[in-house]
Amino acid sequence: MASSTVDDTGLYATVRVQDPRLYEMLIAEVDRQSNCLEMIASENHVSRAVLEAVGSVLTNKYAEGYPSKRYYGGCTFVDQVEDLARERAKQLFGCDHVNVQPHSGSQANMAVYMAVLEPGDTILSLDLAHGGHLSHGLKANFSGRFYNVVHYGVSRQTETIDMDDIRRMAHEHKPKLLVTGASAYPRTIDFATFGQIAREVGAYHMADIAHIAGLIVAGLHPSPIPHADFVTTTTHKTLRGPRAGMIMCKAEHAKALDSRIFPGIQGGPLMHVIAGKAAAFGEALKPEFKVYQRRIVENAKTLADALIALGYRLVSGGTDNHLMLVDLRQVHPDITGKDAEGWLEQAGIIVNKNMIPFDERKPTLTSGLRIGTPAVTTRGLGPAEIKTVAGWIHEVISSHGHEQTAANVRSQVLEMCGRFPLPH
Ligand code: DSN
């Protein structure tokens, strides 16, 4: 992969002088992001405003507590920043209460668990192998170690979530918390029915919307806000903010939730990252953000249709959102997700291997690829370019990692990246 060691725009100029070794690494990553097509469904390219906020002097400030109730002096301006982020988040999602301090999505989820559960209580959630998330109860994760986790999966026939099955499991296992949301699920999630089922069995309902938060803001996916006690999200995927988390909840849970984030599991909030959230939420409130989200979905559908036309089988037959799961076995029974991920990287197309439901291969190999369109849509690719990219994906995978094929595609990817520069 091409990599420059010097940047002539003055980017990171101080690091360049003071720490040339680190500078080379930073510039190589700038170069990689600029010259590759980023199709990992959970990644995006933030605006320069978000980058500046995250790189601001707010990183110097301790602010344990909440606005106007801090344990440190000198918090006047960080209080304003946190209030701004909270105000904008409430406006975006229409929630009663928001906590913008979680450092990550996992910590957002942990705080909710600690707000309503005792160790050993039962959680009902989507299996990671069927599109769930580590923090929804994987055995090796804190969530699987501290709680009694029962997983639902997708139906073998439709590869979608079967609400009758969820209802049956909820009545059988009587969870204290029903967790909804996913990190690799290409279809619309029926939060209203999940909320109804939670009420039937007296469970709390937590919706983790990390992947689809931007789509929800734009009205392209139903919002869980009216149907869930807690809604957690990361802020860096379709929402296109800094790498971090956030929790929204009904007013009655606000006090318990805030005290679980601080002092429960975190100390000082990352005020520079909260400033980045405020900047990103300001951008998401603008009409252009809805247009951007529509383009993400349009690009995902275009990519899904193009891959299907090339013979690929997509889990559940397609996508309703920003991502798809490609089952490689149909066209290439001998090729693993790991092979395909590596070969595509050589060609400058970045995706991740992913289990498909009922996968017989292990998670380090997999039979699938997860592909998403949020980042390439940010740089401006539209349906015409996406169809070309589908052809390149097929060409590279079908060549079984043939070096010259990857190099040919790589040069075309470079040319396309040149025509669609990053926003910073
Ligand atoms: N690891 C993230 C993803 O790629 O979906 C979820 O946290």
Side-chain angles (χ1 to χ4, degrees):
M1 198 169 289
S3 151
S4 54
T5 50
V6 174
D7 168 86
D8 56 13
T9 63
L11 193 63
Y12 309 136
T14 309
V15 182
R16 182 175 170 182
V17 172
Q18 294 187 358
D19 191 342
R21 205 166 151 210
L22 176 62
Y23 172 77
E24 282 213 7
M25 296 170 192
L26 296 183
I27 287 299
E29 178 61 11
V30 170
D31 182 68
R32 189 194 70 79
Q33 291 189 18
S34 303
N35 292 315
C36 290
L37 294 173
E38 182 52 69
M39 302 192 83
I40 291 177
S42 50
E43 294 188 11
N44 214 328
H45 303 289
V46 298
S47 68
R48 182 165 274 280
V50 171
L51 273 185
E52 285 179 4
V54 174
S56 69
V57 294
L58 272 65
T59 195
N60 296 333
K61 190 71 198 93
Y62 251 123
E64 286 184 18
Y66 290 97
S68 77
K69 284 175 255 150
R70 305 282 191 188
Y71 290 84
Y72 289 80
C75 286
T76 305
F77 305 114
V78 293
D79 276 8
Q80 291 171 7
V81 169
E82 186 164 345
D83 276 336
L84 184 64
R86 297 202 290 196
E87 243 172 71
R88 288 178 174 171
K90 282 167 85 167
Q91 209 181 326
L92 274 176
F93 290 94
C95 55
D96 292 352
H97 177 74
V98 63
N99 188 311
V100 294
Q101 292 193 2
H103 303 330
S104 71
S106 285
Q107 279 176 293
N109 291 344
M110 180 187 255
V112 172
Y113 301 162
M114 289 188 60
V116 296
L117 301 176
E118 294 301 326
D121 279 348
T122 300
I123 295 176
L124 180 59
S125 62
L126 180 63
D127 195 338
L128 177 67
H130 288 218
H133 188 255
L134 298 174
S135 64
H136 296 180
L138 184 77
K139 269 273 167 273
N141 184 263
F142 79 91
S143 52
R145 293 186 62 185
F146 294 165
Y147 304 105
N148 172 42
V149 179
V150 180
H151 282 311
Y152 54 89
V154 297
S155 123
R156 210 176 252 281
Q157 286 73 38
T158 61
E159 296 174 306
T160 59
I161 295 169
D162 174 349
M163 298 313 293
D164 292 335
D165 193 41
I166 309 291
R167 178 169 276 114
R168 182 191 57 72
M169 289 184 79
H171 283 270
E172 181 185 341
H173 296 284
K174 305 242 174 323
K176 193 154 174 203
L177 179 67
L178 178 57
V179 173
T180 61
S183 64
Y185 187 69
R187 295 301 187 178
T188 299
I189 297 173
D190 183 355
F191 291 122
T193 305
F194 269 117
Q196 171 63 36
I197 293 171
R199 283 193 298 280
E200 283 167 22
V201 299
Y204 292 103
H205 176 200
M206 181 192 97
D208 179 342
I209 59 166
H211 266 262
I212 52 174
L215 273 57
I216 288 172
V217 165
L220 299 171
H221 189 291
S223 170
I225 295 284
H227 313 293
D229 299 283
F230 301 91
V231 176
T232 60
T233 187
T234 52
T235 48
H236 50 273
K237 298 184 175 99
T238 49
L239 203 47
R240 206 165 57 183
R243 180 163 301 279
M246 173 166 95
I247 311 170
M248 294 162 274
C249 69
K250 298 208 179 300
E252 71 225 57
H253 302 303
K255 203 160 172 264
L257 179 75
D258 285 351
S259 69
R260 288 308 182 266
I261 282 289
F262 172 83
I265 61 169
Q266 293 186 179
L270 307 178
M271 294 312 308
H272 54 306
V273 182
I274 292 175
K277 290 175 199 180
F281 298 162
E283 291 168 5
L285 282 166
K286 294 186 178 151
E288 304 88 275
F289 189 76
K290 289 195 169 70
V291 177
Y292 163 58
Q293 297 294 324
R294 280 201 291 277
R295 288 191 180 134
I296 293 176
V297 174
E298 185 189 7
N299 279 341
K301 284 199 193 321
T302 303
L303 182 59
D305 290 346
L307 290 170
I308 290 168
L310 289 164
Y312 289 86
R313 195 187 81 78
L314 299 191
V315 169
S316 82
T319 179
D320 298 329
N321 58 25
H322 62 300
L323 68 80
M324 66 216 65
L325 281 174
V326 182
D327 178 356
L328 292 166
R329 295 170 309 181
Q330 174 121 341
V331 186
H332 309 289
D334 53 328
I335 294 177
T336 66
K338 179 173 185 256
D339 294 328
E341 177 192 298
W343 298 336
L344 287 168
E345 181 164 355
Q346 292 306 314
I349 299 171
I350 312 299
V351 298
N352 68 280
K353 60 181 166 296
N354 211 98
M355 300 279 276
I356 53 171
F358 312 101
D359 206 329
E360 280 150 13
R361 291 193 174 109
K362 49 188 187 178
T364 47
L365 291 177
T366 82
S367 303
L369 286 181
R370 186 183 66 164
I371 313 184
T373 53
V376 288
T377 305
T378 290
R379 73 189 301 159
L381 269 59
E385 291 78 30
I386 291 290
K387 283 182 198 154
T388 304
V389 173
W392 290 338
I393 291 173
H394 180 50
E395 207 179 320
V396 170
I397 298 177
S398 303
S399 80
H400 282 67
H402 184 255
E403 268 182 39
Q404 193 51 50
T405 305
N408 287 345
V409 171
R410 181 78 190 100
S411 63
Q412 295 176 79
V413 165
L414 269 176
E415 186 277 328
M416 187 179 276
C417 289
R419 282 192 291 126
F420 295 94
L422 292 185
H424 40 75

